[in-house]
Amino acid sequence: KNEVEQSPQNLTAQEGEFITINCSYSVGISALHWLQQHPGGGIVSLFMLSSGKKKHGRLIATINIQEKHSSLHITASHPRDSAVYICAVGRETSGSRLTFGEGTQLTVNP
Amino acid sequence: DTGVSQDPRHKITKRGQNVTFRCDPISEHNRLYWYRQTLGQGPEFLTYFQNEAQLEKSRLLSDRFSAERPKGSFSTLEIQRTEQGDSAMYLCASSPPFWATNEKLFFGSGTQLSVL
């Protein structure tokens, strides 16, 4: 079992839909990151959070430390949101390295 | 443009050859990371530098792999005697000091290595 698991693996939505991507982890963490990866490899950091909730534009990230679970929400989705969304955790016991989930491929159709 | 530069973008080499990749982080970032990513998988940690010191190294990093950050600025990752299993995207990332208010990671575009 991976230490970081994301669901779903693939998600197809229609433009305007509300999207939720989930991340569960099994280790103690110091922080959780949500990242966006576009075709060709470019990775952009969306959020780093260790508690509560953060919002940036149409993106909202939440984390529940007790349940070891985080969600990334996209409101009013748009085709340009199509990308792979990756959850990564910084483990309490492993210094600064991140352990990544396998990613969620999101496709938003017009 | 994230500010982290990697060179080259693509590298095709024959099995057994040595290759070297370069990463130039964002200038005020003292922390630098190398990750490797294969198709359909999330990135895997390879190594971490704080300034010029290599503080963490994954067991994925065999003796054929070596990384340096001699002056605490740019970093190089060398793979000796490349094998076909080394084919992957090699990603570099940097982040500011831990006391910075924003500890987000900034990734380069990666070097895609193909070993024939």
Side-chain angles (χ1 to χ4, degrees):
Chain A
K1 184 171 165 53
N2 294 335
E3 291 177 343
V4 181
E5 294 204 336
Q6 291 184 232
S7 63
Q9 282 189 313
N10 293 283
L11 180 58
T12 300
Q14 288 300 122
E15 184 173 357
E17 287 184 359
F18 180 83
I19 288 161
T20 296
I21 299 170
N22 295 299
C23 175
S24 296
Y25 52 92
S26 57
V27 295
I29 68 168
S30 55
L32 182 143
H33 297 252
W34 280 102
L35 307 158
Q36 180 192 55
Q37 186 170 28
H38 285 284
I43 295 179
V44 176
S45 178
L46 300 174
F47 296 103
M48 187 192 77
L49 63 165
S50 54
S51 65
K53 175 180 174 178
K54 287 189 177 180
K55 184 176 189 292
H56 186 258
R58 295 180 294 106
L59 302 178
I60 303 167
T62 64
I63 187 168
N64 185 317
I65 297 295
Q66 287 72 32
E67 294 186 3
K68 291 188 164 66
H69 181 268
S70 176
S71 293
L72 176 68
H73 305 285
I74 304 175
T75 60
S77 59
H78 190 276
R80 65 174 174 266
D81 297 328
S82 299
V84 175
Y85 291 83
I86 304 173
C87 170
V89 301
R91 297 172 60 188
E92 286 176 334
T93 56
S94 63
S96 294
R97 72 171 67 184
L98 293 182
T99 302
F100 289 75
E102 293 189 350
T104 295
Q105 174 68 61
L106 171 65
T107 303
V108 181
N109 294 318
Chain B
D1 183 7
T2 62
V4 178
S5 299
Q6 289 189 246
D7 184 68
R9 290 293 306 274
H10 304 273
K11 179 70 178 178
I12 300 173
T13 191
K14 291 183 179 179
R15 190 176 52 190
Q17 297 294 305
N18 298 345
V19 294
T20 300
F21 310 141
R22 177 180 169 121
C23 171
D24 287 89
I26 294 173
S27 58
E28 60 268 26
H29 289 183
N30 68 334
R31 296 186 287 179
L32 185 146
Y33 311 79
W34 285 99
Y35 290 88
R36 180 174 68 184
Q37 186 177 27
T38 52
L39 199 62
Q41 301 295 315
E44 295 175 296
F45 171 81
L46 293 178
T47 190
Y48 160 64
F49 289 87
Q50 184 168 302
N51 300 312
E52 66 275 8
Q54 188 175 20
L55 297 186
E56 291 186 65
K57 194 173 168 181
S58 166
R59 55 187 166 81
L60 291 175
L61 221 62
S62 74
D63 291 345
R64 296 184 298 105
F65 288 71
S66 62
E68 293 182 342
R69 194 182 183 198
K71 297 181 181 178
S73 56
F74 73 92
S75 175
T76 58
L77 177 67
E78 181 183 15
I79 309 174
Q80 296 182 325
R81 304 180 304 281
T82 51
E83 302 173 357
Q84 288 183 326
D86 297 331
S87 296
M89 175 75 82
Y90 289 84
L91 293 164
C92 176
S94 69
S95 66
F98 73 92
W99 60 83
T101 55
N102 179 4
E103 290 184 61
K104 278 187 182 179
L105 275 180
F106 293 79
F107 283 82
S109 297
T111 294
Q112 180 66 55
L113 173 65
S114 299
V115 181
L116 304 178

